[in-house]
Amino acid sequence: MCFGLFFFKSKENYLTNQKHIRIIVQYENLGDRMKIQLSKIISVPKYEETVEASIDLNEIKLKGVSYPIREKNDFSIVFRNIGKDKISFAFETEVTLGIPCSRCLEEVSYPVSVQVTKELDFSDLDEEDSSYIEDKYLDLDILIFDEVVPKLPSRVLCKEDCKGLCPVCGTNLMKKSVAAIVRWQTLVWQRFRIFLRILRRCKTNVNLSKE
């Protein structure tokens, strides 16, 4: 079914055991964030629902710094009704971020494993859970963001022996040898000395002409 910008997918798979019903819930992609409808699993006792989910986030933004998401995979989320107004859900996935090396600033692929197991009581949601739950919808991208951010490293190195950037010219020392940089700096200095000699001669000639 499709209603404007709202896209729904649903599938039913009834098991032979009538006491245990397995249903693939409806979900919708609202704008650029995936939101999962939880009304059925909250209201129907003993329901188990599986959602084939995906991450719509393309980057993690934190304190003015953006880390692009280079790899992300689809995954399954298993929901269960565990009591009146209570549900649990669990899933595992992994995202790979592009994070600059702390020394040379080259982008480094940094995988982050996300393993989530939660129980929610909708009669008494705490502040932490309320960040990704709104009107019985689970905002998956907000949840992924909340799980990834605490796992961001304080620094990342492209290699343990990364030499960083040249403090003089800013050249990446991992891509260009120190010897090559020294030769280049020597060549520049030699040309500058030649320029100074020419400048002095011109100044001397001007002074002689005045005399």
Side-chain angles (χ1 to χ4, degrees):
M1 294 185 296
C2 176
F3 301 90
L5 295 178
F6 296 81
F7 297 87
F8 296 86
K9 292 184 179 180
S10 64
K11 180 180 179 182
E12 294 184 347
N13 180 20
Y14 294 92
L15 301 183
T16 54
N17 185 350
Q18 295 181 355
K19 293 182 179 180
H20 188 79
I21 302 176
R22 178 182 174 86
I23 297 178
I24 305 299
V25 295
Q26 293 183 327
Y27 69 85
E28 56 188 356
N29 192 340
L30 306 178
D32 59 355
R33 297 210 307 265
M34 182 175 178
K35 293 188 177 183
I36 301 171
Q37 170 63 261
L38 302 176
S39 296
K40 288 184 180 179
I41 192 64
I42 295 171
S43 58
V44 180
K46 298 182 180 180
Y47 262 22
E48 177 181 310
E49 305 178 348
T50 299
V51 176
E52 298 303 318
S54 60
I55 300 172
D56 290 325
L57 278 177
N58 292 316
E59 59 185 5
I60 299 292
K61 291 184 178 180
L62 186 65
K63 296 181 180 180
V65 180
S66 177
Y67 303 109
I69 297 178
R70 298 304 186 191
E71 293 182 23
K72 52 187 177 181
N73 300 312
D74 294 346
F75 56 96
S76 298
I77 309 177
V78 178
F79 292 88
R80 293 184 176 89
N81 180 294
I82 56 174
K84 184 179 180 181
D85 294 328
K86 295 180 180 180
I87 70 169
S88 68
F89 65 91
F91 67 88
E92 294 183 9
T93 188
E94 183 177 276
V95 297
T96 300
L97 304 178
I99 300 179
C101 173
S102 298
R103 294 178 183 171
C104 69
L105 304 182
E106 287 293 310
E107 185 175 292
V108 179
S109 294
Y110 187 84
V112 178
S113 177
V114 178
Q115 298 177 327
V116 174
T117 301
K118 289 185 177 290
E119 294 186 359
L120 302 179
D121 183 349
F122 280 81
S123 64
D124 186 26
L125 281 178
D126 59 34
E127 185 176 352
E128 179 182 352
D129 294 330
S130 297
S131 66
Y132 56 85
I133 297 292
E134 182 180 359
D135 296 331
K136 297 184 180 181
Y137 281 87
L138 186 153
D139 193 318
L140 184 58
D141 283 345
I142 291 180
L143 177 57
I144 292 293
F145 180 91
D146 290 345
E147 292 293 325
V148 169
V149 167
K151 298 181 180 181
L152 292 177
S154 57
R155 71 170 190 164
V156 171
L157 296 179
C158 60
K159 293 182 179 180
E160 288 298 325
D161 61 346
C162 177
K163 298 179 177 61
L165 302 176
C166 172
V168 177
C169 65
T171 300
N172 186 343
L173 298 179
M174 293 298 290
K175 292 184 176 180
K176 199 169 184 179
S177 68
V178 175
I181 295 173
V182 171
R183 287 196 298 271
W184 178 80
Q185 292 176 342
T186 301
L187 179 62
V188 171
W189 176 242
Q190 288 175 346
R191 292 182 177 179
F192 183 68
R193 290 176 64 184
I194 293 172
F195 171 75
L196 288 178
R197 291 196 193 101
I198 295 173
L199 188 63
R200 291 194 189 98
R201 289 176 183 175
C202 290
K203 186 175 181 180
T204 302
N205 291 337
V206 170
N207 291 334
L208 291 175
S209 64
K210 287 182 179 180
E211 293 178 357

